[in-house]
Amino acid sequence: MKQFAKHLAFATLADYVDGQLAEPARAEAERHLDTCATCRATLASVQRMTAALLAGELAAAPPVTVAQAVKLFRPLTRAAPESKSPRLSLLALLRFDSGAAPAFGLRGDPGAHLPAQQMVFSAGEYDLDMRIEPLGDGWRVVGQLLGGEAAGAADLIGAEHRYASKLNELGEFGFAAVLPGVYQLFIALPTVDLVIPELRVGA
Amino acid sequence: MVQSDSSLIDACRQGDAAAWEALVLRYQRLIYSIPSRAGLDEQQSAEVFQSVFARLIEHLHKLEQPDRLQAWLVTTTKRETWRLLRQLRQHTAAGSEISTDDEAAQEVPDHQPLPHEALQRLEDQHLVRLALEQLDARCRRLLALLYYHETALSYTDIATELGVPSGSIGPTRARCLQKLRAHLDQVGF
């Protein structure tokens, strides 16, 4: 194997990195590397690439987690492909937050009045009045849409659980027995979607 | 041909759900591995994962440098991981808030967010995986057998598996690695 061209062949370097070069080729390669900055740079890049190939530290996310992230986009793409005006999607901004409801307290006591967390979001012409309170083993999440048309559906989507509700004629919707976690709330109205990208329930 | 991140972002901005799915699939390992290797469990890592992609949707129209999406995603993931770690520590510190339930009392991961070198390693692995996908099927298969197999395979085993002479494995490997390196050079590896 000819080692004394101007630089070491890529194959030689690859073999060297993997400890596949037998003597005397290995010793010859090392002698060359001692004197050649270019080959040392190539060696470093091959070592980095090989280390990345071997490391195996990238875990695949659980399929349900990936699926949930993919679904985040769906409510934003209700427009038919040939529709000229894409469906509007509005991000709801938090305007008021009373603070998180306590996770632990006098549960199951019918006389106990537990403070709920109240939040108000706004998106365009809409205000969204939300309330989160502990209920039994889970949480109740209720909301009311104020302003504009109030017919539609609401979806609460988390990493592992998903809840659906419909808006009544007063624009109210609710989810019962919600498990603690971080959720996205999507409200699909006739011509627009509202999105709360992060709603912490009991978390 | 493989679409660039910029081009996928553009398509997402037009409402292309398939482009969104491609982005999620492209980055899912990297985004998940950052909280996971920082010590968060599966559920916690999934929370970070969802937050990051929710933020991306939020910022889709505001991203100033779509060609630097990877850096944006890694930064956002670091931030979300750190937020969750901090929250978990606060819950533990509150002491009485934690019930006697064994699961709730599990140790809060005691890690800092990943140090720079560990993050760099994860990003390297991400880029290498992406570059691998751009190689021809024969190279992909060979490199997968050489580097992604659970047990170390000899050249003879690999040659048998691929139905080629064992003497061809070395040179083919070198050619495939060189192609891989060329793809990596293009993304500034």
Side-chain angles (χ1 to χ4, degrees), chain B residues 19-51:
Chain B
W20 173 255
E21 181 166 2
L23 268 182
V24 173
L25 292 176
R26 178 172 292 181
Y27 280 100
Q28 58 100 352
R29 282 175 185 266
L30 181 58
I31 306 301
Y32 187 77
S33 297
I34 291 173
S36 174
R37 296 202 68 86
L40 293 175
D41 67 26
E42 193 176 292
Q43 189 191 340
Q44 293 158 348
S45 299
E47 258 189 55
V48 170
F49 190 93
Q50 294 303 329
S51 298

Side-chain angles (χ1 to χ4, degrees), chain B residues 56-125:
Chain B
L56 178 57
I57 286 201
E58 208 178 312
H59 283 88
L60 261 180
H61 296 275
K62 299 183 240 168
L63 281 177
E64 278 168 19
Q65 292 177 289
D67 54 330
R68 297 220 64 225
L69 178 64
Q70 181 172 327
W72 189 94
L73 284 171
V74 169
T75 302
T76 305
T77 308
K78 274 162 52 181
R79 213 177 276 143
E80 292 297 319
T81 300
W82 182 227
R83 259 185 355 136
L84 188 53
L85 281 170
R86 211 169 53 220
Q87 258 193 329
L88 292 169
R89 268 195 213 104
Q90 280 164 1
H91 277 186
T92 307
S96 55
E97 306 274 294
I98 302 297
S99 73
T100 52
D101 177 83
D102 279 343
E103 262 187 43
Q106 73 186 298
E107 277 173 32
V108 169
D110 148 72
H111 304 259
Q112 303 291 327
L114 289 179
H116 178 77
E117 307 71 44
L119 265 178
Q120 186 59 60
R121 267 206 325 269
L122 288 179
E123 290 194 70
D124 279 1
Q125 290 167 64

Side-chain angles (χ1 to χ4, degrees), chain A residues 137-139 161 178-183 201-203, chain B residues 43 47:
Chain A
D137 285 334
W139 295 78
H161 305 282
V178 176
L179 294 170
V182 180
Y183 293 85
V201 177
Chain B
Q43 189 191 340
E47 258 189 55

Side-chain angles (χ1 to χ4, degrees), chain A residues 10-11 14-15 18 45 48 52 55-59 61 65 68-70 73 76-77 91 104 182 197-198 200, chain B residues 12 15 17 20 28-29 32-33 47 49-50 57-58 83 87 97 121 124-125 128 147 155 173-174 178 181 189:
Chain A
F10 186 88
D15 285 344
D18 278 7
S45 101
R48 188 175 156 204
E57 290 174 332
L58 282 186
T65 305
Q68 294 285 10
V70 171
F73 197 76
L76 305 180
T77 57
L91 267 179
F104 299 90
V182 180
E198 188 186 284
R200 291 186 174 268
Chain B
C12 288
W20 173 255
Q28 58 100 352
R29 282 175 185 266
Y32 187 77
S33 297
E47 258 189 55
F49 190 93
Q50 294 303 329
I57 286 201
E58 208 178 312
R83 259 185 355 136
Q87 258 193 329
E97 306 274 294
R121 267 206 325 269
D124 279 1
Q125 290 167 64
V128 163
Y147 296 104
Y155 278 14
R173 181 188 76 130
Q178 209 157 8
R181 187 163 163 261
F189 182 81

Side-chain angles (χ1 to χ4, degrees), chain A residues 100-113:
Chain A
F104 299 90
L106 298 168
R107 291 227 193 123
D109 174 359
H113 174 67

